[in-house]
Amino acid sequence: MDNEYLIKERPIKAITVFAIPLMLAAFFQQFYTLADSAIVARFVSEKALAAIGASYALTNVFISIAIGAGTGSGVIISRYYGAHDYHMTKNSTKISLISFLALSIMLALIGLIFSEDILVLLNTPYDILSDAKAYLDIYFMGLPFLFCYNALSSCYNALGRSRYPLFFLIFSSILNIILDLVAVIVFDMGLVGAAWATLVSQALSALLSFILLVRLLKKLDSSAFGPFSFSELKKMSAIALPSILQQSTVSIGMMLVQGVINSFGSAILAGYSAAMRLESIATVPFTSLGNAASSYAAQNIGAKKTERIKSGYNAMVVLTVIFSLLIFITFNLFKPLLISIFIEENSIEAYETANQFFVYITPVFVFIGLKMITDGILKASGNVVPFTIANIVNLSIRVALSYLLAPVIGFSICYMAVPLGWIANFMISGSIYFSGRWKRKLGMD
């Protein structure tokens, strides 16, 4: 298919072709943590799983920063590509990668210095603190590779090549599982072995992805890469910073809520960790559709085909409803089997913790999908304030209810707060989209 299909093909076809590789890639990316958790839970111990879980919300914050920053650069690159300005497409890509590398090194150093302090602040149970710190330190060592891979994926998506990140993730996910098994079972390295397996897999994937991107960009335009432009960096930052905040608010909320969950002990934490792993997989179609919405809208804005945005949004609403129904049916039919991947049924407290999570969450997955695609359109159009406010409200609801009511009701309030945050988030973003006020930045009626 023509690489400009996002601005030429029928919206439902273009979005489906673009989004499916994103979803598959995201599923394989989840295998990094899923493989670590499942292998560690089965071959090390339940406490080792809890140790990974103790750092999960914190690592999600850094992943959210990488994704949010990638959104900012991806929107600008998409616009240049849609406008056929290939010289600026190349230069913006270069600026994006350099900026990502600098940011990731800085965050990695901060993480290594303060990892134990952060875990203590999050009320990490003392019996798993040393294991959690060991896992987290190796994660921070690999942070530059994680950031660079996400930057490269954003560049591929901006160019309409969403299938390329999928290929690299299939390779790295398989490698990660093999290295996990070797490190944990053969060399008996335990939790640390799983962490090193992930780092090596991410590093190789980032390196191969970079080599291919450079070759693609050279074919795109014969001119040399231009100098580093702070004005272009400013354009990216204008979208990236609110996107980082938007992506991070939910992760920060999860991290703060985990501080409440941690106070209930390692068994509850193990159940919560299993639930978070499964939830991260269940939401993959929605986050992928949100990323597709950004690239689709941005390329059409660059090509001055803004009339295609509404029909594209309607197509994504249909896809969101379909995926929501499929996920609801799947989780309700196979919930015991899915939870048992991580937790033995005789671990009653941990098992029931994970089971309870899905009682509250599965009926309302459609709202996170609607939130994601709506935010994607707003980001591409430069309307960064509304979805930033919406996500802050989401965060506030989760944290306030958890901290105020968990001591009285129990940890289940932390689960109840999640769908309430999603619904409030969509109501705010949706009101901006359906009112048409987002069009003003584009000069649309």
Side-chain angles (χ1 to χ4, degrees):
M1 181 178 284
D2 189 332
N3 285 320
E4 294 184 344
Y5 62 91
L6 287 177
I7 60 177
K8 293 181 178 179
E9 294 287 343
R10 209 160 50 96
I12 185 67
K13 179 180 179 182
I15 290 165
T16 302
V17 169
F18 185 82
I20 287 176
L22 286 181
M23 292 178 195
L24 293 173
F27 276 122
F28 275 102
Q29 193 166 38
Q30 290 298 330
F31 280 154
Y32 282 122
T33 51
L34 185 65
D36 286 349
S37 299
I39 291 171
V40 164
R42 288 294 180 182
F43 297 103
V44 184
S45 67
E46 184 181 289
K47 284 189 175 181
L49 173 62
I52 293 178
S55 62
Y56 177 66
L58 178 58
T59 58
N60 256 0
V61 173
F62 288 93
I63 292 172
S64 296
I65 292 172
I67 294 173
T71 299
S73 61
V75 166
I76 299 301
I77 295 168
S78 290
R79 288 183 182 177
Y80 283 129
Y81 187 72
H84 295 171
D85 187 345
Y86 299 134
H87 175 69
M88 288 307 301
T89 298
K90 286 175 62 175
N91 209 35
S92 296
T93 301
K94 183 191 77 171
I95 293 165
S96 171
L97 295 177
I98 293 173
S99 302
F100 261 78
L101 181 61
L103 177 63
S104 64
I105 291 173
M106 180 186 70
L107 291 175
L109 291 173
I110 292 172
L112 285 168
I113 293 170
F114 296 107
S115 60
E116 184 170 357
D117 296 324
I118 296 171
L119 288 169
V120 171
L121 284 173
L122 291 175
N123 298 318
T124 302
Y126 182 77
D127 58 343
I128 62 170
L129 182 60
S130 60
D131 282 344
K133 182 183 183 304
Y135 184 86
L136 196 56
D137 284 346
I138 298 170
Y139 172 86
F140 283 125
M141 292 178 196
L143 199 63
F145 300 115
L146 172 68
F147 264 63
C148 287
Y149 175 77
N150 276 279
L152 292 160
S153 295
S154 296
C155 294
Y156 282 122
N157 293 339
L159 300 176
R161 271 86 163 183
S162 59
R163 64 189 184 279
Y164 286 17
L166 170 62
F167 299 150
F168 290 115
L169 273 171
I170 292 173
F171 160 75
S172 59
S173 297
I174 294 173
L175 178 62
N176 184 46
I177 292 172
I178 293 171
L179 293 178
D180 265 337
L181 293 170
V182 171
V184 173
I185 300 175
V186 178
F187 293 106
D188 197 24
M189 295 174 68
L191 183 67
V192 170
W196 279 113
T198 300
L199 187 152
V200 171
S201 301
Q202 288 177 339
L204 285 174
S205 180
L207 178 61
L208 294 173
S209 185
F210 174 74
I211 292 170
L212 179 57
L213 182 64
V214 171
R215 293 180 63 183
L216 284 175
L217 292 174
K218 286 181 178 179
K219 293 179 181 178
L220 191 63
D221 183 73
S222 60
S223 62
F225 287 93
F228 190 94
S229 171
F230 284 98
S231 63
E232 285 301 310
L233 179 60
K234 185 177 179 181
K235 284 183 188 178
M236 293 180 185
S237 300
I239 298 174
L241 291 176
S243 297
I244 290 171
L245 180 59
Q246 180 250 339
Q247 292 280 351
S248 299
T249 48
V250 175
S251 295
I252 291 170
M254 287 173 58
M255 184 174 69
L256 294 174
V257 169
Q258 187 164 322
V260 177
I261 295 289
N262 289 351
S263 66
F264 286 91
S266 57
I268 297 293
L269 177 55
Y272 179 76
S273 300
M276 288 295 98
R277 290 292 185 270
L278 293 171
E279 189 226 17
S280 66
I281 294 173
T283 55
V284 159
F286 309 125
T287 55
S288 299
L289 282 173
N291 291 331
S294 289
S295 295
Y296 172 83
Q299 279 203 23
N300 281 283
I301 289 168
K304 301 189 185 304
K305 295 183 177 182
T306 50
E307 73 280 356
R308 287 169 53 85
I309 294 176
K310 182 179 179 181
S311 55
Y313 181 84
N314 293 339
M316 285 182 279
V317 169
V318 172
L319 292 171
T320 295
V321 172
I322 292 171
F323 280 118
S324 298
L325 289 173
L326 289 174
I327 291 167
F328 177 81
I329 293 169
T330 300
F331 270 78
N332 280 279
L333 286 177
F334 302 106
K335 184 168 53 177
L337 176 63
L338 293 170
I339 296 174
S340 67
I341 294 173
F342 304 94
I343 298 171
E344 300 284 354
E345 289 194 34
N346 57 11
S347 301
I348 298 174
E349 194 172 20
Y351 188 90
E352 283 305 313
T353 299
N355 181 65
Q356 190 175 359
F357 178 84
F358 292 104
V359 171
Y360 294 111
I361 297 301
T362 52
V364 291
F365 269 128
V366 67
F367 287 101
I368 193 171
L370 294 173
K371 156 198 145 44
M372 290 289 184
I373 62 173
T374 306
D375 284 355
I377 300 293
L378 296 181
K379 281 183 282 188
S381 64
N383 286 263
V384 294
V385 174
F387 73 78
T388 302
I389 294 172
N391 280 275
I392 290 173
V393 171
N394 186 346
L395 168 65
S396 301
I397 289 172
R398 293 190 186 201
V399 174
L401 291 179
S402 297
Y403 275 85
L404 292 175
L405 298 181
V408 180
I409 298 176
F411 67 85
S412 61
I413 189 61
C414 301
Y415 295 168
M416 297 178 198
V418 174
L420 292 176
W422 287 346
I423 293 168
N425 194 324
F426 170 64
M427 288 178 66
I428 296 170
S429 295
S431 67
I432 300 298
Y433 175 81
F434 290 110
S435 70
R437 294 199 297 271
W438 61 277
K439 300 177 183 179
R440 293 172 187 168
K441 278 186 174 287
L442 303 176
M444 299 168 62
D445 294 331

